[in-house]
Amino acid sequence: MSAAAFDTSGDPVLDRRLDWARAFLAEGDFAAAAELLAETVEAAPGFAAAWFLLGEAREGQGEAEAAREAYGRALALDPADRLGAGLRRARLGGEAAEGVMSAAYVRTLFDQYADRFDTALREKLAYRGPELLLEAVRATCATQGRDVRFGAALDLGCGTGLAGVLFAPLVERLDGVDLSPAMLEKARALGLYAALEAGEMGAALGAMPAGGLDLVLAADALCYVGDLAPIFHAARAALASGGLFAFTLETHEGEGVLLRETLRYAHGEDYVRALAAEAGLTVVLLERASTRSEKSVPVPGLVGVLAAV
């Protein structure tokens, strides 16, 4: 994430230095950026955004430990971690990555992204997560010999409502939850959701009455969660017998959870299957499918449908 949202030190001269440093980083001149930012944090040691960008510059120079130190200073100055300094530190190694993506980081990221979100996903990243989910749910219902109709549904990480557009005609009631108020404004304008909540996915699921949902959706949302166990268990508790939990994930060939360079989590297929079994959910469908491309290369992914039985 750019530090642009937190780029004021209270001193206009130092703030301009941050803009210059950001320009150096964009050009790949990490040495010039690092020199300028080192001077800036010396003059303003409480300037979290400058420490964060110094971490980026040191990282670009291949100085991992110096980058970790700079990110650590940014994190200490902003414990909510709106810039994602904890993620950057974890990606450089030395600590577990699963629990370091803060809600404040995700909220800030998507509040900044909301106005261009749909265009960026569809036109630049060839995003098709909602369509894959719909195909998976239709295939599951066909296998089970049931109509593609549901009572109550909850759209986790609903964003601007891209999945809601496809699933609203198939459900009696559709609710949504997302960390970003700006994204929820876009979803609310669609008029498809009975209720929209600004909050965490796990908390929203946990607040549902036991067996109160027939369908839980998570299109391109679980890649912002390292440890999926709480969400899987909460989904099982919230789903009625026969209810479905449909989701997309990014994946990798190894085991467990990986924090990718894009600062999104990838979950191994065996990890997902094991979690489903532990949560009491039956894997009805779990297939390789890419929801998006990065630099014109499909990102390895999974589309899954789990059933509460």
Side-chain angles (χ1 to χ4, degrees), residues 34-121:
E35 180 179 358
L36 184 59
L37 289 162
E39 295 172 356
T40 302
V41 297
E42 182 177 1
F47 196 179
W51 281 109
F52 180 84
L53 290 181
L54 180 57
E56 287 193 341
R58 296 299 192 206
E59 190 176 347
Q61 290 178 296
E63 300 177 6
E65 191 53 42
R68 280 178 51 81
E69 181 181 353
Y71 288 137
R73 293 292 295 270
L75 184 59
L77 291 165
D78 177 25
D81 198 16
R82 293 168 292 176
L83 294 171
L87 278 174
R88 298 280 188 146
R89 279 173 57 87
R91 190 168 58 81
L92 289 171
E95 59 192 82
E98 285 88 336
V100 295
M101 188 176 296
S102 72
Y105 166 77
V106 177
R107 182 182 303 111
T108 302
L109 174 67
F110 285 100
D111 277 350
Q112 292 179 333
Y113 197 20
D115 286 340
R116 63 185 190 280
F117 180 78
D118 290 7
T119 299
L121 276 185

Side-chain angles (χ1 to χ4, degrees), residues 7-269:
D7 60 359
T8 180
S9 65
D11 183 334
V13 174
L14 295 179
D15 290 351
R16 283 197 293 274
R17 286 187 184 180
L18 201 71
D19 291 333
W20 297 336
R22 192 176 291 115
F24 284 136
L25 287 172
E27 295 169 1
D29 192 343
F30 300 112
E35 180 179 358
L36 184 59
L37 289 162
E39 295 172 356
T40 302
V41 297
E42 182 177 1
F47 196 179
W51 281 109
F52 180 84
L53 290 181
L54 180 57
E56 287 193 341
R58 296 299 192 206
E59 190 176 347
Q61 290 178 296
E63 300 177 6
E65 191 53 42
R68 280 178 51 81
E69 181 181 353
Y71 288 137
R73 293 292 295 270
L75 184 59
L77 291 165
D78 177 25
D81 198 16
R82 293 168 292 176
L83 294 171
L87 278 174
R88 298 280 188 146
R89 279 173 57 87
R91 190 168 58 81
L92 289 171
E95 59 192 82
E98 285 88 336
V100 295
M101 188 176 296
S102 72
Y105 166 77
V106 177
R107 182 182 303 111
T108 302
L109 174 67
F110 285 100
D111 277 350
Q112 292 179 333
Y113 197 20
D115 286 340
R116 63 185 190 280
F117 180 78
D118 290 7
T119 299
L121 276 185
R122 295 299 199 184
E123 296 182 7
K124 296 182 179 180
L125 302 179
Y127 176 63
R128 61 191 189 106
E131 289 77 12
L132 285 175
L133 271 192
L134 182 58
E135 291 173 12
V137 170
R138 288 189 183 279
T140 296
C141 290
T143 298
Q144 296 178 337
R146 59 185 281 188
D147 291 337
V148 190
R149 296 291 307 174
F150 301 90
L154 178 62
D155 187 359
L156 301 177
C158 64
T160 59
L162 292 175
V165 170
L166 297 182
F167 281 91
L170 307 178
V171 302
E172 294 178 13
R173 177 188 174 96
L174 177 63
D175 294 336
V177 59
D178 199 279
L179 279 168
S180 167
M183 299 285 274
L184 288 175
E185 286 184 15
K186 303 289 185 181
R188 188 170 290 110
L190 297 175
L192 300 174
Y193 291 89
L196 288 165
E197 175 188 353
E200 295 183 274
M201 297 183 286
L205 275 172
M208 290 289 167
L213 293 174
D214 302 295
L215 178 65
V216 176
L217 303 170
D220 204 42
L222 300 184
C223 55
Y224 297 100
V225 180
D227 180 7
L228 295 178
I231 287 182
F232 275 40
H233 282 274
R236 176 61 187 88
L239 283 168
S241 179
L244 302 180
F245 178 21
F247 55 85
T248 62
L249 290 170
E250 293 186 13
T251 194
H252 63 110
E253 296 300 327
E255 298 181 358
V257 184
L258 172 70
L259 180 61
R260 299 178 62 231
E261 290 187 2
T262 55
L263 303 183
R264 292 158 61 94
Y265 291 108
H267 300 85
E269 182 175 345

